[in-house]
Amino acid sequence: MYLKNITLRGFKSFKDKSQLFFEPGISVIVGPNGSGKSNVADAISWVLGEQSPRTLRGNSMADVIFRNKNEEMGIAEVSLLFDNSNKVFDTEFRDVKITRRVYTRGGSDYFINSSPCRLVDIQELIADSGIGKGLHIIINQGQINEIALLKPAERKAVIEEILGISKHKNRRDKSLAKLEKVKNDIDRINDLIGEIKITMDPLEIEAARAQKYSEIFNLLKNEEISLFIASLNNLNIEWERENDFYKKTNDELEKVKNEISNILNKKNELLKLTDGERSDFELWREKIDRFNIESNNIKNIIALIESKQNVFRTLKNMFSIDYTGYKASEKKSKEVVGNEDSRDDNIIPLLEEITCKLEKIVSLLIKFLDNTKKKVQDFKTVNYIEGEISLITREVEKISEMVEKRKKRMLDIPLDTAISGEAIKVDKKNDSDDKEKLNKIESLKEICVTNLVRANKMNLILKRFLPISENIKKELYCEFEKKNKSVIENQKKKSELESQIENLNQRKIKLESDLYKSVIKKEQIKEKVETITENIVDNYGESVEYILKSYNPSTDVNQSENKVKKLKNEIKKYGNINPNAAIEYKKIKKRFDFLSEQKRDLVEGKKELEELIDNINRRISDDFNKKFVEINKCFRKYFKILFPLGEGEMQLEKSNEGSYDDYDNIGVDLKVDIGNNKFVNLSLLSGGEKTLVSIAFLFSIYSINPSPFYVFDEVDASLDDVNISRFLTLIKNFSEKQQIILITHQKKTMEIADTIYGVTMQPQGISKVICEKIRENNAEINQEYKLSLE
């Protein structure tokens, strides 16, 4: 069997009717990029039942219908004519034509020899011919590279599809689904039979007990309903009593809430008043604190001035001693020098202490003046104090300058000069200077006396403030005590109000608790009524209205309770009673016999399915293992042709959880050495090397389970001239028994063709077969097509 011709009309770029006639051997379709030559391979795949638009390089099936900017076809049709002289197709016809037609409006039509049919009819016709779906008889450029990178399980699936093992697996999967359904049915029937068996055996005994049970039940019903009516009446009385208590308690609670509200209003008014008095109280307390601080400052300043008076007295006495010392300078030079050294040694530290104290006096006087300006409102007093302090400060500064000069002069006199006899000569030369010093000492003494007087005046002024401050303090404390007393009284009132609120809140909580308990008790009464009512209605199936009309309440509740208890104990001895036991037994026995028969049939069917699945599994495993050895042998052979220096083989690979004995958990891995003396990962190969590995893999399977024809769409695009020659060697070998259709751009590939078709694209986007050449010895491309390619 081989493909004789293909007729296209309205399919993709073939607007007009176009035919390509093929002969056994090698046929080549060539043409520029975009001319539509690959559409021929898509057309063959489409007619053979391809349903995926993406496989046909489209988004929907309507994309296979020709359209351009100017016009659009309403139909696309492709027909394949096969030579069936060797009866590969199970039909009496010598030629078999398969046609598929699709419409723009939607829908497809299928034909076998121009007779309408279904897609499934076409699939059944070609199922055992070797050209069915999944047999990989049409390979394009994208697929050829993907095949090399398949996972082991996917590669095994390809082998199964081409060898036809997948149809056995589909048959096995259907049988497994049926087996699972049968098992579920058996389990369900077993459950039903078990349930029926449990019910059926006791039914016969139950029928005899049912009559006696019915008599006791009727007595119990009458007595229990009478007791129910009496209990219902008692609960109604209790309900009314609780309603009265609830109303009384609720009224009292409202009164308590009103009292709490009134007291809270009084408390809020008191808080507003207390907040104002509290602010005044805090203000007065702040004044008292500030007054005490300033009063203490004045006392400290008085103490400081008294201390400075002592300093001025000391200075005055010191200068008096100096003056007396200089007057006695007529003594002998040696004594003068000795005495001078001793006095200088003692006076230098004293001068340094005097300097520090004078500086501190100035600082404190300035600070006192600033505080006095802030606190004293009498400007005359402030101005007087400021003038006196300025005079004292200036005089203190003068004294400091003189003390510093005296200290410096004494430090400048060399010690050896004072010790030698030349000191007497120096003192003689400086007699005039000594007189000047005496005058200065006299002046300093007068300054100290003056400042001492001024310090006494300052002390008297400040002491006058003390009685005044005491009077102010008494007035402030009097007003402060009034404010404090008012605050304490308001706080006491607030505490009394809070105590009243606390007592009322406790009373409120108790009343609310009583209300809550009353509500709970009413709910319990209500729930009890609902419970006993529900029990009576559920147990005896009588409505409450009917019971109240038809039955009387019990006259003796205790006696009725005892009787009900006794009857219930008797009923418990009988256990569960079925009054319809006899009727139910007949029905359930009949169903039991029917299910038992069904179970026997299902068990027999399960056994047959398990045997069938075991046979299919053995057949799948045996067929695959047997043919895998042959395929692996062919793979080594073809790999050697494509890679003369390399070697390759197929290996079975188990999954992580599986074993080699578990057929479904093994895959097929390719171990290839392209000539580098090492096995490499297929993903590291170049595009051309991947193509050659894929070709060796596919052709090794084709050689074991060949199809009538194969279509290769530009699978040689990534091969160089050397590798194309090796690929064409395989093609020539296969073309001796199978029909090969090649779509290519390669000139070397064209050279081996028995038939060459050229396809070109017209200006309107219409593909056209422009030449056709069938040769007997060597294929030749005519001059017209050669010019079109150039």
Side-chain angles (χ1 to χ4, degrees):
M1 187 192 78
Y2 67 93
L3 178 63
K4 294 182 69 173
N5 74 53
I6 176 171
T7 304
L8 306 96
R9 181 168 65 89
F11 183 83
K12 289 195 171 181
S13 59
F14 290 93
K15 174 190 172 187
D16 302 322
K17 181 178 180 179
S18 302
Q19 284 188 312
L20 290 87
F21 293 90
F22 301 107
E23 292 291 336
I26 302 173
S27 299
V28 177
I29 301 174
V30 297
N33 289 331
S35 62
K37 57 185 181 298
S38 293
N39 291 339
V40 176
D42 292 341
I44 296 172
S45 177
W46 184 63
V47 174
L48 294 178
E50 180 59 56
Q51 299 298 312
S52 172
R54 294 189 178 276
T55 303
L56 301 173
R57 299 177 296 157
N59 293 323
S60 66
M61 199 55 72
D63 290 340
V64 304
I65 302 175
F66 172 82
R67 66 165 61 90
N68 61 17
K69 293 182 179 179
N70 299 323
E71 60 180 327
E72 179 179 350
M73 298 287 286
I75 185 175
E77 179 180 299
V78 178
S79 297
L80 301 180
L81 180 63
F82 294 96
D83 182 293
N84 192 35
S85 57
N86 55 358
K87 301 300 179 182
V88 173
F89 293 134
D90 187 14
T91 180
E92 61 184 7
F93 297 103
R94 181 179 179 85
D95 290 333
V96 176
K97 183 171 74 170
I98 301 174
T99 303
R100 182 176 181 181
R101 186 183 299 160
V102 68
Y103 302 94
T104 304
R105 65 177 184 272
S108 296
D109 292 334
Y110 299 91
F111 303 89
I112 297 177
N113 286 343
S114 301
S115 297
C117 66
R118 301 169 302 170
L119 174 60
V120 67
D121 296 328
I122 295 176
Q123 291 173 341
E124 290 177 356
L125 179 66
I126 66 177
D128 296 324
S129 64
I131 61 173
K133 183 179 179 182
L135 296 179
H136 297 273
I137 63 170
I138 301 173
I139 304 296
N140 58 40
Q141 182 180 356
Q143 290 176 314
I144 199 70
N145 287 330
E146 292 175 358
I147 289 173
L149 300 177
L150 291 176
K151 295 179 181 178
E154 295 171 343
R155 196 175 290 116
K156 176 191 170 189
V158 172
I159 295 175
E160 290 175 342
E161 289 174 350
I162 296 177
L163 294 179
I165 294 175
S166 58
K167 65 182 179 181
H168 298 302
K169 293 183 71 174
N170 292 336
R171 183 183 170 197
R172 182 195 64 181
D173 293 340
K174 291 179 182 179
S175 298
L176 286 171
K178 289 181 181 179
L179 179 61
E180 187 65 26
K181 185 177 182 304
V182 169
K183 287 181 179 179
N184 292 334
D185 291 341
I186 292 174
D187 292 339
R188 178 60 180 159
I189 286 179
N190 285 332
D191 292 340
L192 292 173
I193 290 175
E195 293 174 3
I196 292 172
K197 187 72 174 172
I198 293 171
T199 307
M200 185 177 64
D201 293 340
L203 278 177
E204 188 176 0
I205 301 172
E206 287 291 329
R209 299 173 60 208
Q211 183 62 33
K212 183 64 178 175
Y213 176 85
S214 179
E215 294 174 1
I216 299 174
F217 180 79
N218 289 331
L219 291 174
L220 176 63
K221 177 181 178 182
N222 293 330
E223 199 66 41
E224 193 168 8
I225 288 176
S226 298
L227 182 61
F228 161 72
I229 295 173
S231 299
L232 198 62
N233 292 335
N234 293 333
L235 289 172
N236 285 332
I237 294 171
E238 191 174 352
W239 176 271
E240 292 298 329
R241 187 165 56 250
E242 283 299 324
N243 271 338
D244 294 339
F245 175 77
Y246 181 86
K247 183 178 179 182
K248 181 180 177 181
T249 306
N250 191 48
D251 292 341
E252 187 176 354
L253 178 63
E254 291 298 324
K255 291 180 182 179
V256 171
K257 288 182 178 178
N258 291 333
E259 291 181 11
I260 292 174
S261 178
N262 294 332
I263 294 174
L264 284 175
N265 292 334
K266 291 180 182 179
K267 179 184 174 182
N268 292 333
E269 293 176 359
L270 182 63
L271 287 175
K272 291 180 182 178
L273 179 62
T274 304
D275 290 340
E277 292 182 350
R278 171 67 66 178
S279 300
D280 293 341
F281 172 75
E282 294 296 334
L283 181 63
W284 277 98
R285 185 166 64 182
E286 183 180 351
K287 290 180 179 180
I288 291 293
D289 293 340
R290 199 163 55 240
F291 179 83
N292 289 333
I293 292 171
E294 297 302 329
S295 178
N296 291 332
N297 288 338
I298 291 173
K299 292 178 180 179
N300 292 334
I301 292 172
I302 290 173
L304 180 62
I305 290 174
E306 290 176 351
S307 174
K308 301 315 168 189
Q309 286 176 339
N310 295 330
V311 172
F312 283 124
R313 288 190 188 96
T314 302
L315 289 173
K316 172 178 172 268
N317 294 333
M318 182 188 73
F319 288 129
S320 297
I321 292 171
D322 280 348
Y323 183 80
T324 304
Y326 277 109
K327 281 289 186 179
S329 61
E330 295 176 355
K331 294 180 179 181
K332 293 180 180 181
S333 298
K334 187 181 289 187
E335 293 177 356
V336 170
V337 172
N339 292 333
E340 188 70 21
D341 291 339
S342 175
R343 184 166 46 84
D344 288 344
D345 290 339
N346 294 327
I347 203 170
I348 289 174
L350 180 62
L351 291 175
E352 291 177 350
E353 181 181 358
I354 291 171
T355 302
C356 292
K357 288 187 176 182
L358 289 173
E359 291 175 353
K360 190 172 182 180
I361 289 172
V362 172
S363 174
L364 290 173
L365 288 173
I366 292 172
K367 184 177 180 181
F368 169 73
L369 179 61
D370 292 338
N371 291 332
T372 303
K373 287 180 179 180
K374 293 178 182 179
K375 306 300 178 182
V376 179
Q377 302 297 326
D378 188 353
F379 292 104
K380 292 181 179 180
T381 303
V382 171
N383 292 334
Y384 174 75
I385 293 172
E386 184 175 3
E388 292 297 322
I389 289 175
S390 298
L391 291 174
I392 293 172
T393 302
R394 285 196 296 272
E395 294 299 329
V396 167
E397 289 175 354
K398 290 179 182 180
I399 293 172
S400 297
E401 291 176 1
M402 292 180 181
V403 169
E404 287 296 327
K405 289 179 180 180
R406 174 69 181 275
K407 177 182 175 182
K408 184 177 180 182
R409 185 179 62 80
M410 294 181 71
L411 292 174
D412 289 340
I413 298 174
L415 183 62
D416 53 354
T417 304
I419 296 174
S420 64
E422 295 177 358
I424 298 173
K425 296 179 181 180
V426 173
D427 288 336
K428 289 180 179 181
K429 293 179 180 180
N430 293 329
D431 285 339
S432 60
D433 292 338
D434 290 338
K435 291 179 180 181
E436 183 179 352
K437 290 177 183 178
L438 288 174
N439 293 331
K440 287 183 179 181
I441 290 171
E442 185 69 22
S443 298
L444 289 172
K445 179 180 177 182
E446 293 298 327
I447 290 171
C448 289
V449 172
T450 302
N451 287 328
L452 182 62
V453 172
R454 288 174 178 168
N456 291 331
K457 291 180 180 179
M458 286 287 295
N459 192 17
L460 290 174
I461 292 171
L462 291 174
K463 285 183 177 180
R464 290 173 189 169
F465 280 107
L466 292 178
I468 296 171
S469 66
E470 289 298 326
N471 293 331
I472 294 173
K473 181 177 180 181
K474 290 178 181 178
E475 293 179 1
L476 290 175
Y477 267 94
C478 183
E479 188 64 26
F480 175 74
E481 288 299 326
K482 291 180 181 179
K483 296 292 181 180
N484 188 27
K485 183 178 180 181
S486 177
V487 168
I488 292 172
E489 289 178 354
N490 288 334
Q491 188 66 31
K492 184 177 180 182
K493 291 179 181 179
K494 176 185 172 185
S495 299
E496 291 176 354
L497 292 175
E498 288 178 347
S499 177
Q500 294 177 12
I501 292 172
E502 180 65 24
N503 294 332
L504 289 172
N505 280 330
Q506 292 179 358
R507 177 62 180 162
K508 175 186 172 186
I509 291 170
K510 185 178 182 306
L511 292 172
E512 288 176 345
S513 176
D514 292 341
L515 282 178
Y516 177 75
K517 291 177 180 178
S518 179
V519 171
I520 294 296
K521 193 168 183 180
K522 288 171 67 177
E523 288 295 328
Q524 290 174 347
I525 294 171
K526 184 178 178 181
E527 184 177 353
K528 191 172 182 180
V529 170
E530 291 176 353
T531 301
I532 63 176
T533 302
E534 186 178 354
N535 288 336
I536 291 296
V537 172
D538 292 343
N539 290 337
Y540 303 111
E542 304 287 355
S543 66
V544 177
E545 293 80 5
Y546 177 79
I547 289 172
L548 295 176
K549 290 179 181 179
S550 305
Y551 293 88
N552 297 319
S554 175
T555 56
D556 190 343
V557 174
N558 292 330
Q559 184 179 356
S560 295
E561 288 178 349
N562 293 330
K563 192 173 181 180
V564 167
K565 185 176 181 182
K566 181 180 178 181
L567 291 172
K568 284 185 175 181
N569 289 332
E570 290 183 13
I571 285 180
K572 284 182 180 179
K573 295 177 182 179
Y574 284 89
N576 294 327
I577 298 298
N578 184 4
N580 300 318
I583 298 173
E584 291 182 1
Y585 178 75
K586 281 185 179 181
K587 291 181 180 178
I588 203 167
K589 184 67 169 63
K590 183 178 180 180
R591 180 166 176 76
F592 177 80
D593 294 338
F594 173 76
L595 291 175
S596 298
E597 184 66 25
Q598 292 292 317
K599 179 182 176 181
R600 284 191 292 271
D601 294 341
L602 288 172
V603 170
E604 187 65 27
K606 175 188 172 187
K607 183 178 179 182
E608 293 176 358
L609 284 172
E610 288 174 345
E611 291 176 356
L612 176 62
I613 292 169
D614 290 339
N615 292 333
I616 293 174
N617 284 334
R618 280 195 298 271
R619 181 175 179 182
I620 290 173
S621 180
D622 293 343
D623 288 351
F624 180 83
N625 291 330
K626 180 180 178 181
K627 292 186 177 181
F628 178 77
V629 175
E630 299 176 9
I631 293 171
N632 196 11
K633 183 178 179 180
C634 293
F635 180 74
R636 294 192 188 99
K637 172 185 173 183
Y638 295 142
F639 192 87
K640 198 69 176 177
I641 293 174
L642 297 175
F643 295 96
L645 299 179
E647 61 179 8
E649 66 173 343
M650 297 182 185
Q651 292 182 354
L652 294 178
E653 182 182 81
K654 65 178 180 178
S655 63
N656 293 334
E657 298 83 6
S659 63
Y660 289 110
D661 295 332
D662 188 356
Y663 174 79
D664 291 330
N665 287 320
I666 62 173
V668 177
D669 192 17
L670 299 181
K671 299 294 183 181
V672 298
D673 173 13
I674 62 175
N676 298 327
N677 291 325
K678 64 178 180 178
F679 291 111
V680 296
N681 193 323
L682 295 178
S683 61
L684 301 178
L685 299 178
S686 66
E689 290 169 342
K690 291 176 185 176
T691 299
L692 293 177
V693 172
S694 299
I695 289 171
F697 173 73
L698 289 174
F699 274 62
S700 62
I701 308 172
Y702 292 158
S703 63
I704 303 304
N705 189 31
S707 295
F709 71 92
Y710 296 97
V711 179
F712 299 104
D713 183 6
E714 298 188 34
V715 297
D716 56 355
S718 60
L719 302 180
D720 55 23
D721 290 342
V722 174
N723 288 324
I724 288 177
S725 299
R726 296 170 183 170
F727 166 65
L728 295 178
T729 301
L730 291 181
I731 293 293
K732 289 177 183 179
N733 292 336
F734 265 76
S735 66
E736 295 176 358
K737 295 182 180 180
Q738 281 80 37
Q739 183 182 22
I740 305 295
I741 299 173
L742 296 171
I743 300 172
T744 185
H745 288 294
Q746 302 291 348
K747 292 183 179 180
K748 279 184 171 292
T749 305
M750 300 177 196
E751 293 174 357
I752 68 167
D754 297 319
T755 304
I756 295 180
Y757 276 92
V759 180
T760 187
M761 178 64 69
Q762 300 297 311
Q764 298 300 322
I766 302 171
S767 294
K768 183 178 180 182
V769 180
I770 64 171
C771 72
E772 175 183 343
K773 181 69 176 177
I774 301 177
R775 61 172 190 173
E776 294 180 358
N777 297 320
N778 296 311
E780 296 178 358
I781 302 177
N782 64 13
Q783 188 65 28
E784 178 184 357
Y785 185 66
K786 195 178 292 184
L787 291 173
S788 69
L789 291 178
E790 293 175 355

